[in-house]
Amino acid sequence: MARIALLLLALALPGLVLAGDDDYASMLGYLNSGSRIDGQAFRGSSGALAVNIAAGDMNLQSNLRAVASGQYAQALYAARQRRSGDLHPADLAASATIGGQAYAGGRGVLSINQASGSGNAEINAIALAAADQGIREATDASLADDVSASAGGQASRNPRPSVGGSRNAAVESSALRGFQGVLQLNQVAGSDNVTGNALQLSVPAPSH
């Protein structure tokens, strides 16, 4: 049954030949190798957008939003991403790209987690409070305490060091052009990376 499923997958990917365990590993490497947001994706979009996109194994991603309004409003978030003891391939070729006119001319709040590889952890978090107390400063300690991530994995004990590869993360010049608002981007190509963006904002409540 597994052999039939593998054969169908190989037929769906031109250039892949089913011939043994080594080729199976190569096929999995192909599937892990690239993550791309391209073309006209979300061009001219507005509002609050959250995107998680990953190619690979054992990646952790989250986008968090907390909004509060009122006399004593507080907006809080908490995130803990944890993994430990997992084995994953040592990805030798990985790319994460945003290209074309993706998100061009957009406005609002945009949070993107994009990963290519294995064992990565990514978090975007935003807290917005509109309260009568007015503007309050968020300390570095509060930002650090509210969001944390740990990849917690390790490469397979049988990597293939003889196979060359490259790791690339890129935003092409035509993408995101003219975007207005809050933009959070975690972009990773490789293994066992931990990245995060946290924004806390307090503003006076609108008058009635």
Side-chain angles (χ1 to χ4, degrees):
M1 201 67 179
R3 175 70 78 177
I4 293 174
L6 180 59
L7 178 59
L8 291 175
L9 183 56
L11 292 175
L13 297 172
L16 291 179
V17 179
L18 184 63
D21 291 341
D22 289 342
D23 293 292
Y24 177 70
S26 298
M27 182 179 65
L28 291 181
Y30 177 87
L31 294 174
N32 291 351
S33 64
S35 163
R36 185 176 181 90
I37 302 172
D38 205 346
Q40 305 287 323
F42 300 102
R43 180 183 178 186
S45 59
S46 62
L49 298 176
V51 180
N52 292 321
I53 179 171
D57 298 312
M58 304 175 187
N59 294 296
L60 304 175
Q61 297 175 315
S62 64
N63 287 307
L64 307 178
R65 308 272 173 78
V67 179
S69 177
Q71 185 176 3
Y72 302 105
Q74 277 191 307
L76 303 173
Y77 52 73
R80 301 290 184 268
Q81 292 180 336
R82 290 287 185 271
R83 277 189 26 254
S84 63
D86 296 324
L87 294 178
H88 55 73
D91 297 292
L92 297 174
S95 65
T97 305
I98 300 176
Q101 295 183 330
Y103 305 104
R107 68 173 105 184
V109 179
L110 172 59
S111 301
I112 303 173
N113 290 313
Q114 184 182 25
S116 175
S118 300
N120 300 295
E122 300 174 310
I123 292 178
N124 287 312
I126 296 175
L128 171 62
D132 291 343
Q133 303 101 311
I135 298 174
R136 300 185 303 277
E137 182 178 356
T139 65
D140 291 340
S142 67
L143 292 174
D145 290 343
D146 288 336
V147 177
S148 69
S150 172
Q154 52 185 315
S156 168
R157 295 184 179 88
N158 298 303
R160 301 177 63 191
S162 60
V163 180
S166 62
R167 300 176 181 87
N168 299 290
V171 177
E172 296 177 356
S173 60
S174 55
L176 297 168
R177 179 174 293 178
F179 181 86
Q180 299 179 40
V182 176
L183 170 62
Q184 295 178 305
L185 174 60
N186 292 312
Q187 195 177 46
V188 167
S191 300
D192 300 318
N193 298 286
V194 177
T195 61
N197 292 301
L199 172 65
Q200 293 184 342
L201 182 63
S202 178
V203 298
S207 59
H208 299 288

